[in-house]
Amino acid sequence: MFDTSRRKLLGAVGLGALASLAGCGGDSDGDQTPGARASQSTPEPASEPDVDSVAADPTDVPDPIERDHSETIEVTLTVEEVTAEVEPGVTVDYMTFDGQVPGPMLRVRQGDTVEFTLENAPENATLHNVDFHAVYGTGGGAVATTAAPGEENAMRFQARYPGAFIYHCAVPNMDYHISTGMFGMILVEPPEGLPEVDQEFYLGQHELYTSHDAGTPGHHSFDYEAMRAEEPTYVLLNGEKFAYAADNHGPMEVDVGDTARVYMVSGGPNLTSSFHPIGNVWSEAWPNGSVTTTPDEFVQTMSVPPGSCFVGTLDFEVPSRVKLVDHALTRVTRKGCLAEIDATGEEDESIYDPDFDGSTHEGPLYD
Ligand SMILES: [Cu+2]
C-alpha cells in the first residue's frame, strides 16, 4: 500500500495510474484523453438491462475429476442475446453462452465422449454455433452445431487430447460474436489429473468494440469500424469493467498459505493478453493451456493469444491484494481490464514489511 506522500510523488512523476493499480482503488485517475470516438454524437439513453450482470462467477469451476475411467458426458449450452451494463450507466447488447461471459467452464477427462447440444433461444436474432478447439473434426463442430433462433443442433466428440481449450462461436461474423461475449473454456484433464490446489478460478479476457468512448453514459451500439481497426472501447476480464474487483462484484478470496490455480481463456477476437499478477508471480505457468508439458516457473507475465488459454499457479505468502491485469496497461487504466484476489491471514514481516521505515540501516543505502 502506498502512503500519501509516496502517492503524491508518483503522481508528480506521472505514475498516478500505476499508483492506483498498486493500491486499493480500482478506477483510473480520471485523466481521460479524448479518443477517436469522443466526437461522436451522444449515445441513446441506457437500455433497460435484461439481466443484472453477464460477468461469469470466477469461482464457478467444475470439481477436479476423480474418475479412473472414461464416461459419456452430456453438455448443453444455450445462446442468450441479452442487454446488460458493461459498467454503471453504460449498456451494451451481449451475445452469450448461458447468459454469462465467458461461457461456462466445461471439464472432462481425456478419453471422455461428449454429447454436445447447442440451443439457440427463440427470442434471439441470429444464427450461432460452437467451434471447440478440443475437437478433431470440421470446424471443431461449428458446422454441425449451427442453429437458427428457436432451433438446436448436436454433435458428439471424443476428447482425444488433454489441455485447456477455448470454445467460441464461429458463424461468418465470428469476430463480432466473440467480441460481444461468445467464448469460453473446456478443460480436458489428463488421466492422472492436475496437481491438487486449494482454490481454482476461471477468467476470460476479451475486447468489446462500441460506438462511444469507455464511460460515456448511455447505450453503446456495436462499432464494426472500430473492430476493423482493432481499437476496442473496452478490454475486459469476465465481461464487465473491473468485474471481480473491490469496486464491483468484489475480489476473489483466498487465505494466506493457499495455492490457487487460475484458468484464463483469451477470447480476443484480436488482442493478445500480457497476463500478469501484480504483487505476485506465476509460480507455475502452462503456456497455451498445455497442461501436460512441464510448466515454466516464476514467470511474471504470460502472453495469451486470442484463441488460446493459460493455466497458472499463484502462491499467497502474505496478506495482499493481487491484481490480475493485461500488462498492456492502457487496457487497465482506460478500458477496464482488471480482476483482484484478496489474500487474508497472518503478516510475515520477513517476507514483506510495508511499514518498514529504514531505521535498521545505519547509513545511506547508496553513496
Ligand atoms: Cu454466435
Side-chain angles (χ1 to χ4, degrees):
M1 227 66 72
F2 287 77
D3 62 29
T4 310
S5 58
R6 197 178 300 182
R7 192 182 296 275
K8 265 186 199 151
L9 174 66
L10 287 172
V13 297
L15 293 175
L18 284 177
S20 171
L21 271 184
C24 288
D27 211 331
S28 68
D29 51 10
D31 178 25
Q32 293 288 337
T33 307
R37 300 174 190 81
S39 61
Q40 294 187 0
S41 59
T42 306
E44 297 291 312
S47 301
E48 186 64 34
D50 298 317
V51 292
D52 286 342
S53 170
V54 296
D57 179 348
T59 66
D60 191 5
V61 175
D63 290 336
I65 292 171
E66 309 275 349
R67 285 182 277 119
D68 61 358
H69 58 279
S70 300
E71 286 188 353
T72 296
I73 315 271
E74 287 182 31
V75 175
T76 298
L77 292 176
T78 302
V79 181
E80 298 175 24
E81 300 173 4
V82 296
T83 300
E85 287 185 325
V86 62
E87 63 173 304
V90 181
T91 53
V92 298
D93 297 327
Y94 289 90
M95 297 192 278
T96 71
F97 294 106
D98 286 10
Q100 64 176 69
V101 182
M105 180 172 161
L106 310 177
R107 190 167 196 160
V108 302
R109 184 176 183 272
Q110 184 182 359
D112 283 351
T113 295
V114 179
E115 295 181 348
F116 176 79
T117 302
L118 182 73
E119 294 181 349
N120 193 349
E123 58 273 26
N124 290 344
T126 187
L127 290 176
H128 299 285
N129 63 23
V130 191
D131 169 354
F132 282 96
H133 289 196
V135 168
Y136 280 128
T138 300
V143 177
T145 59
T146 298
E151 294 184 350
E152 61 179 53
N153 267 315
M155 58 133 176
R156 184 170 62 200
F157 69 93
Q158 189 178 40
R160 301 279 295 170
Y161 45 89
F165 301 97
I166 190 173
Y167 65 83
H168 63 89
C169 187
V171 294
N173 273 325
M174 61 188 84
D175 49 356
Y176 164 47
H177 285 230
I178 293 169
S179 177
T180 59
M182 295 196 73
F183 70 102
M185 179 190 291
I186 180 169
L187 174 66
V188 182
E189 286 198 19
E192 66 275 18
L194 299 176
E196 200 171 316
V197 288
D198 300 302
Q199 306 257 13
E200 295 188 307
F201 298 116
Y202 173 49
L203 297 168
Q205 179 172 328
H206 87 296
E207 73 268 10
L208 185 54
Y209 301 88
T210 75
S211 54
H212 293 77
D213 285 340
T216 307
H219 185 76
H220 289 207
S221 56
F222 194 80
D223 189 331
Y224 283 93
E225 284 309 311
M227 183 168 68
R228 190 188 310 278
E230 300 186 16
E231 292 177 355
T233 312
Y234 290 100
V235 182
L236 303 165
L237 283 167
N238 289 27
E240 270 177 27
K241 178 182 175 181
F242 302 157
Y244 286 92
D247 288 349
N248 195 349
H249 302 297
M252 294 162 271
E253 296 177 343
V254 299
D255 294 326
V256 168
D258 277 357
T259 295
R261 182 176 296 128
V262 175
Y263 298 96
M264 197 276 252
V265 53
S266 181
N270 300 313
L271 298 187
T272 294
S273 177
S274 300
F275 198 41
H276 170 65
I278 296 179
N280 210 297
V281 69
W282 301 113
S283 51
E284 298 171 304
W286 286 275
N288 303 309
S290 178
V291 296
T292 48
T293 54
T294 302
D296 293 348
E297 294 182 326
F298 305 109
V299 179
Q300 58 201 305
T301 300
M302 286 299 294
S303 198
V304 192
S308 188
C309 296
F310 165 68
V311 181
T313 306
L314 295 172
D315 299 314
F316 297 89
E317 299 204 339
V318 293
S320 52
R321 172 166 290 169
V322 173
K323 292 173 179 279
L324 300 176
V325 297
D326 182 335
H327 215 292
L329 289 168
T330 296
R331 299 170 187 174
V332 182
T333 57
R334 315 291 165 188
K335 301 188 177 187
C337 188
L338 172 71
E340 295 175 333
I341 304 176
D342 274 3
T344 52
E346 291 259 332
E347 300 274 359
D348 184 341
E349 293 177 0
S350 72
I351 298 174
Y352 180 63
D353 182 3
D355 300 320
F356 176 61
D357 62 4
S359 61
T360 57
H361 286 286
E362 292 182 352
L365 282 173
Y366 305 103
D367 290 326

